[in-house]
Amino acid sequence: MTQSMRAPLLFAFVAALFLLEATTDVWIFSGSWNTALGILNMALVSAVMALGVNLQWGFAGLFNVGVMGFVALGGLATVLVAMPPSPGAWAAGGVQILLGLVVGAASILAAILAWTRLPKGRVRVLIMLTILVAGFFLYRWVFDAGVAAVEDINPAVTGNLGGLNPCGDYRACGWITIVAWPVGGLLAAGAAWIIGKTALGLRSDYLAIATLGIAEIVIAVLKNEDWLSRGVKNVIGLPRPVPYEVDLQNDPGFVERAAGLGLDPTMASTLYVKFGYAVLFTLVLIVILWLAQKALSSPWGRMMRAIRDNETAAEAMGKDVKARHLQIFILGSAVCGVAGAMMTTLDGQLTPGTYQPLRFTFLVWVMMIVGGSGNNYGAVLGGFLVWWLWVQVEPLGAWLAELVTGGMAEDNAFRVRIMDAVAHMRLFTMGVVMLLMLRFAPRGLLPER
């Protein structure tokens, strides 16, 4: 099969899987458009994440396993932009929190200036340590008082600063949630700049450890700083860029159109909402894919791949390798941040406890490896295919377990053990898929050209 024919056939195969999921209940398929659209929406978000990782690894060879942290920052941006301000929170301690953050940043900046401008010696070290210690205590004194004041305001419902949604009925301004998507990218890009300035000089394996550790720090902050994201109490009721099902069900015109299609209003409204998300996510994916393809075929893209293949030769030709690595690291992280904001919008809530390394790091890397590292279309294909497999592995495992143990009694110990293990088939299957790909098709289904 030629390279030009492989991509259309593979994408057609994936499309057939989704169509079978929607139209037939044979074998492991549900025959439900509702289920198919649900899988499709998360597959679209996963494809965007895979594109972000492909920018970093496929273009530049940067081994980033901190995807989870950038996705979480995108989700946080949705709360900060789309939710309304919590009543009384800013007056109680919001300004004090901001002042504390300014004091902390000023202390770090003053210590840096002291280190760079004073002559070497003990005096420089003592002055820098004095600035840092005094700044830390001053920062905690100002910051902690503001946090306590904010978190004491109706903690069962809010207990946080809230967001920037200006509407009285904040759910009526669902469009502002779309604004949060690029903001999520900017927030992730800012974090990537800080991380990149400190960690990109490390060797690839140390870079992986550093990015994983920093991602865990980001998640720890989201889980524990209630004033920012309500921590593990979660932020629910995020506004939507698509209509609410109940509003559609109360619309006589919509009910009439649903009846004309032979659908009850509840199912019709659910399909309408999920289809609306699918359209929005597809537009975002197309834009990012188009930009990534333009970048790949540009002189900048060729330079990045030259740096990836041989850093020493690229430096000898006058290329600033560290600056280019920082640039691509920021771009890839920004794409992951956009995906994180999209996913939080789809969920309708921010739940920091669900940001697990398996789902947001390992799984995305499997998508890129299966699709093809260095190929943008391969990353998209891997996002669709691996997410579909991730969802369908459990019913497939149940089918296999039933096939193997079908002749046994219901209380047979072996049968019970096998049926209980079905829920864990996903972890096993993803590992097997990655090992098979690395062994028989290490360049992926759509190799880099």
Side-chain angles (χ1 to χ4, degrees):
M1 185 187 302
T2 63
Q3 180 79 358
S4 59
M5 287 296 298
R6 180 182 296 183
L9 289 176
L10 287 172
F11 275 104
F13 172 72
V14 173
L17 292 177
F18 281 91
L19 285 175
L20 288 171
E21 177 65 29
T23 57
T24 181
D25 58 359
V26 176
W27 195 33
I28 62 172
F29 300 106
S30 66
S32 168
W33 280 100
N34 188 23
T35 303
L37 286 173
I39 300 174
L40 175 63
N41 283 329
M42 268 308 302
L44 288 165
V45 175
S46 299
V48 175
M49 290 186 199
L51 274 174
V53 175
N54 188 56
L55 284 173
Q56 296 172 338
W57 175 255
F59 280 37
L62 296 179
F63 192 18
N64 172 24
V65 293
V67 178
M68 175 181 60
F70 300 112
V71 171
L73 287 172
L76 176 63
T78 308
V79 173
L80 299 180
V81 173
M83 290 298 287
S86 298
W90 279 98
V95 176
Q96 198 167 354
I97 289 175
L98 292 181
L99 181 60
L101 294 174
V102 170
V103 169
S107 301
I108 296 173
L109 180 60
I112 293 173
L113 290 175
W115 183 261
T116 55
R117 297 192 177 186
L118 293 175
K120 294 181 178 180
R122 291 184 177 180
V123 174
R124 181 175 74 169
V125 175
L126 289 174
I127 291 176
M128 187 192 71
L129 290 176
T130 301
I131 293 172
L132 288 175
V133 172
F136 174 77
F137 283 104
L138 180 60
Y139 154 73
R140 297 302 306 189
W141 180 67
V142 176
F143 180 77
D144 288 353
V147 168
V150 170
E151 293 182 353
D152 283 341
I153 297 178
N154 198 8
V157 178
T158 54
N160 67 322
L161 289 174
L164 303 175
N165 193 319
C167 300
D169 179 9
Y170 75 95
R171 286 188 174 90
C173 292
W175 56 268
I176 202 170
T177 310
I178 298 179
V179 177
W181 299 353
V183 173
L186 291 174
L187 192 59
W193 181 83
I194 297 173
I195 295 168
K197 294 292 285 187
T198 57
L200 280 183
L202 299 173
R203 204 174 63 190
S204 60
D205 48 353
Y206 293 111
L207 174 64
I209 295 170
T211 52
L212 178 61
I214 293 169
E216 292 293 343
I217 292 172
V218 171
I219 299 302
V221 169
L222 292 186
K223 287 181 178 179
N224 293 283
E225 298 297 330
D226 287 8
W227 64 272
L228 181 64
S229 61
R230 297 200 75 226
V232 294
K233 292 183 288 187
N234 305 333
V235 178
I236 61 175
L238 291 170
R240 292 175 167 187
V242 295
Y244 288 87
E245 288 90 347
V246 66
D247 294 333
L248 292 172
Q249 294 164 22
N250 292 328
D251 181 359
F254 179 83
V255 173
E256 183 179 349
R257 290 193 297 272
L261 295 172
L263 298 172
D264 66 272
T266 302
M267 178 57 69
S269 61
T270 302
L271 294 176
Y272 186 90
V273 168
K274 289 187 175 181
F275 182 75
Y277 276 123
V279 171
L280 291 174
F281 293 167
T282 300
L283 290 175
V284 174
L285 176 60
I286 289 173
V287 170
I288 294 177
L289 177 60
W290 180 77
L291 291 173
Q293 280 296 103
K294 286 292 184 181
L296 182 64
S297 59
S298 69
W300 177 86
R302 292 191 290 272
M303 175 188 65
M304 292 307 307
R305 285 183 288 178
I307 292 174
R308 177 199 65 190
D309 294 337
N310 194 326
E311 289 186 18
T312 304
E315 282 184 315
M317 296 176 65
K319 305 301 180 184
D320 190 340
V321 172
K322 190 171 182 180
R324 299 288 78 78
H325 277 173
L326 180 62
Q327 190 178 59
I328 197 72
F329 186 71
I330 290 172
L331 289 174
S333 300
V335 173
C336 291
V338 172
M342 292 163 57
M343 186 180 65
T344 301
T345 302
L346 179 64
D347 292 341
Q349 58 185 351
L350 176 66
T351 53
T354 63
Y355 289 105
Q356 301 297 328
L358 173 67
R359 183 178 178 189
F360 298 107
T361 298
F362 173 70
L363 194 58
V364 177
W365 272 90
V366 173
M367 292 172 183
M368 189 191 64
I369 291 170
V370 169
S373 172
N375 189 320
N376 292 317
Y377 290 105
V380 173
L381 176 71
F384 281 101
L385 186 58
V386 172
W387 183 257
W388 181 89
L389 184 61
W390 175 260
V391 173
Q392 296 289 22
V393 156
E394 192 165 343
L396 179 59
W399 175 79
L400 286 173
E402 188 65 36
L403 185 66
V404 171
T405 64
M408 299 179 184
E410 290 291 334
D411 59 348
N412 182 279
F414 178 76
R415 176 182 170 82
V416 172
R417 183 67 179 271
I418 292 295
M419 296 305 292
D420 289 342
V422 166
H424 305 288
M425 281 289 292
R426 286 176 173 172
L427 312 181
F428 172 76
T429 304
M430 290 301 110
V432 169
V433 166
M434 188 166 71
L435 288 174
L436 291 175
M437 291 300 302
L438 292 174
R439 172 60 181 86
F440 296 105
R443 298 180 63 200
L445 297 175
L446 293 178
E448 179 183 4
R449 293 184 178 182

